[in-house]
Amino acid sequence: VLVWRAGQADYSGFVREELVSEMIRGFVAHFEDALQSCRSATRERKRLVRARVVVDASNFDLENLRYLQVLRHIMRLVQEHFPEVSATVTVVRAHWSVVALYEILKPWLTEHVQQKVAFLAD
């Protein structure tokens, strides 16, 4: 299980301090670790094991729309390089603006990825 506290990140700080590429590298490293863990578990159990991603979206709001390009870039990386790592992506504690943001980003996602995403209401 991968837990991301998306609403707690200081996106403006990443941009201000020119650390977006470092944030993305960390994100990729996290997914690479998940890929290797799933690969190892798959060999051990002799069946496909994939990660479950839980995104805590509390405190993520319309202010974060300024970083839409960064979010699109991260989503593109996941789709291109890690399409089968996650079985599901469950977004919890999502403000209505997070759901609206997802609707904006959804056309850039493959149908396969879209089917993995679910929102749980507060």
Side-chain angles (χ1 to χ4, degrees):
V1 175
L2 306 174
V3 177
W4 297 336
R5 301 199 59 194
Q8 303 304 315
D10 180 10
Y11 299 102
S12 62
F14 285 122
V15 171
R16 182 182 61 252
E17 300 298 325
E18 299 179 359
L19 294 172
V20 172
S21 62
E22 295 302 318
M23 178 189 71
I24 291 171
R25 262 184 247 162
F27 182 85
V28 169
H30 191 136
F31 246 83
E32 183 64 34
D33 285 347
L35 172 67
Q36 296 303 326
S37 294
C38 290
R39 197 177 276 166
S40 176
T42 293
R43 271 188 260 134
E44 182 181 303
R45 297 177 188 172
K46 297 184 180 7
R47 66 175 179 81
L48 181 62
V49 175
R50 294 188 292 167
R52 306 280 180 185
V53 179
V54 178
V55 180
D56 179 351
S58 59
N59 298 326
F60 195 95
D61 57 25
L62 287 174
E63 184 72 19
N64 295 309
L65 282 176
R66 291 190 287 162
Y67 312 107
L68 187 61
Q69 289 302 101
V70 174
L71 294 170
R72 282 185 58 204
H73 180 68
I74 290 171
M75 288 173 24
R76 189 170 49 251
L77 284 171
V78 170
Q79 283 189 128
E80 291 174 6
H81 302 286
F82 304 99
E84 294 303 321
V85 171
S86 63
T88 61
V89 178
T90 306
V91 183
V92 298
R93 300 184 209 169
H95 186 266
W96 66 266
S97 62
V98 173
V99 179
L101 176 60
Y102 174 72
E103 292 301 321
I104 292 169
L105 296 171
K106 194 173 174 180
W108 288 290
L109 298 173
T110 64
E111 183 68 31
H112 180 69
V113 172
Q114 288 178 28
Q115 291 174 357
K116 294 180 181 187
V117 178
F119 285 84
L120 298 181
D122 272 343

